[in-house]
């Protein structure tokens, strides 16, 4: 194997190892993204596109050369010289085998180079999506907690409002009862005041009547009988006063 095909074979083996390492299941995409964000990879990222295109061109050129070799040795026919040189047939098959081997090596190298680039791109995208999903999950959890908190606060507010309304209704009922009692007491006091007023008016009329009676008796009766009449009038006045007091 020539030097160039040895280098291509080593490159193919390196691609296989790298792809297997990238496919290890217990290394997460975010861990790979943190590795890719190291300073050395950031420095290499500036030349990555140029290196990728260069390797694609080199591998495609080698692949086309291998295709040419395969077609070259496949189309050759062994003539009469095979009797003179018996090893020529084996030599041609060896050449064909090497050309086919180089074709497979270069073809798989191109294919795995494209696969490796795609795997790295998918890992970065998966890490970005995972980070976004984690952030959205945290926001959703915070929103759920806020909704639960607001729901609890709303329920507490409803209970407090219901209790306050119940207390308010109780206080309003008590105030209505007190107002009704005050109105009844006021009406009773007004009725008592009216009764007292009427009794005072009756007493005043009775005193006026007794006074006029006393004056008339004093003018009409004789002086000798004045004392008796006065005594009798006083007795009548006292009797009237006692009757009025009994009425109260």
């Amino acid at each position: 194997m020539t030097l160039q095909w040895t280098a291509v074979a080593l490159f193919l083996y390196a691609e296989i190892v790298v792809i297997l390492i990238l496919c290890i299941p217990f290394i997460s995409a975010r861990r790979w993204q943190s590795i890719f964000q190291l300073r050395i990879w950031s420095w290499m990222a500036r030349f990555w596109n140029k290196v990728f295109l260069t390797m694609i061109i080199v591998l495609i050129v080698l692949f086309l050369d291998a295709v040419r070799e395969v077609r070259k040795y496949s189309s050759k026919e062994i003539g009469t010289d095979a009797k003179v040189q018996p090893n020529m047939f084996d030599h041609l098959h060896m050449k064909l085998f090497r050309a086919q081997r180089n074709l497979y090596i270069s073809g798989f190298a191109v294919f795995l180079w494209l696969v490796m680039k795609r795997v790295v791109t998918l890992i970065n995208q998966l890490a970005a999506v995972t980070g976004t999903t984690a952030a959205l999950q945290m926001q959703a959890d915070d929103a759920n907690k806020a909704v639960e908190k607001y729901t609890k606060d709303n329920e507490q507010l409803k209970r407090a409002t219901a209790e306050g309304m119940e207390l308010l209704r109780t206080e309003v009922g008590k105030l209505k009862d007190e107002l009704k009692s005050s109105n009844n007491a006021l009406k009773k006091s007004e009725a008592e005041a009216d009764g007292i007023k009427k009794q005072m008016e009756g007493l005043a009329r009775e005193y006026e009547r007794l006074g006029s009676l006393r004056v008339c008796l004093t003018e009409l009766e004789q002086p000798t009988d004045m004392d008796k009449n006065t005594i009798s009038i006083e007795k009548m006045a006292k009797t009237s006063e006692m009757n009025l007091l009994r009425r109260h």
Side-chain angles (χ1 to χ4, degrees):
M1 185 181 291
T2 60
L3 182 62
Q4 60 181 4
W5 292 112
T6 302
V8 173
L10 293 176
F11 183 74
L12 175 63
Y13 301 150
E15 286 177 335
I16 294 172
V17 172
V18 170
I19 290 174
L20 290 176
I21 292 173
L22 291 175
C23 293
I24 293 175
F26 55 84
I27 301 178
S28 63
R30 298 186 69 179
R31 180 65 59 84
W32 280 118
Q33 188 182 34
S34 63
I35 294 173
F36 294 152
Q37 289 176 352
L38 293 175
R39 183 176 298 178
I40 184 172
W41 297 111
S42 299
W43 179 79
M44 291 177 62
R46 295 180 296 177
F47 310 100
W48 170 249
N49 291 328
K50 295 179 181 179
V51 172
F52 176 77
L53 292 175
T54 302
M55 290 302 300
I56 285 291
I57 293 171
V58 171
L59 292 174
I60 289 175
V61 169
L62 293 174
F63 178 76
L64 293 176
D65 182 64
V67 171
R68 184 186 62 79
E69 291 290 329
V70 169
R71 293 184 64 183
K72 174 183 175 182
Y73 293 110
S74 297
S75 61
K76 274 192 174 183
E77 295 181 359
I78 301 175
T80 55
D81 294 337
K83 297 179 181 180
V84 180
Q85 297 179 352
N87 294 328
M88 184 179 292
F89 181 77
D90 295 335
H91 181 72
L92 289 174
H93 276 279
M94 182 183 67
K95 291 283 187 179
L96 179 61
F97 170 76
R98 289 179 179 177
Q100 291 174 346
R101 180 199 61 191
N102 296 336
L103 175 67
Y104 295 145
I105 289 174
S106 60
F108 278 110
V110 173
F111 175 73
L112 291 181
W113 183 245
L114 296 173
V115 169
M116 186 173 64
K117 185 177 185 301
R118 185 60 179 168
V119 168
V120 172
T121 303
L122 291 176
I123 287 174
N124 287 326
Q125 292 178 355
L126 180 61
V129 171
T130 304
T132 305
T133 305
L136 292 175
Q137 184 66 34
M138 291 179 63
Q139 292 179 359
D141 294 338
D142 294 338
N144 290 329
K145 291 179 181 179
V147 169
E148 291 177 356
K149 182 180 178 182
Y150 292 149
T151 304
K152 291 181 181 178
D153 294 340
N154 191 16
E155 291 177 354
Q156 293 177 358
L157 182 61
K158 287 182 179 179
R159 288 197 296 269
T161 304
E163 293 175 356
M165 292 298 293
E166 188 66 26
L167 292 174
L168 184 60
R169 292 192 188 97
T170 305
E171 292 295 329
V172 170
K174 290 181 180 179
L175 290 175
K176 286 182 179 179
D177 294 337
E178 292 178 358
L179 181 60
K180 188 176 180 181
S181 301
S182 300
N183 290 330
N184 294 330
L186 181 60
K187 290 180 180 179
K188 185 177 180 182
S189 300
E190 290 177 352
E192 291 178 354
D194 292 336
I196 293 172
K197 184 178 180 181
K198 290 178 181 180
Q199 290 177 2
M200 292 298 293
E201 291 176 354
L203 286 174
R205 288 193 298 269
E206 187 68 24
Y207 279 119
E208 289 178 358
R209 188 179 67 80
L210 290 175
S212 61
L213 182 61
R214 180 180 296 178
V215 171
C216 291
L217 291 174
T218 303
E219 291 178 353
L220 294 174
E221 290 182 356
Q222 296 178 356
T224 55
D225 298 331
M226 186 179 296
D227 295 333
K228 294 179 180 180
N229 292 329
T230 302
I231 293 170
S232 61
I233 289 169
E234 289 178 357
K235 287 181 179 180
M236 290 174 65
K238 289 181 180 180
T239 304
S240 299
E241 290 177 359
M242 292 297 292
N243 291 328
L244 290 172
L245 292 174
R246 286 175 183 174
R247 288 177 185 175
H248 290 294

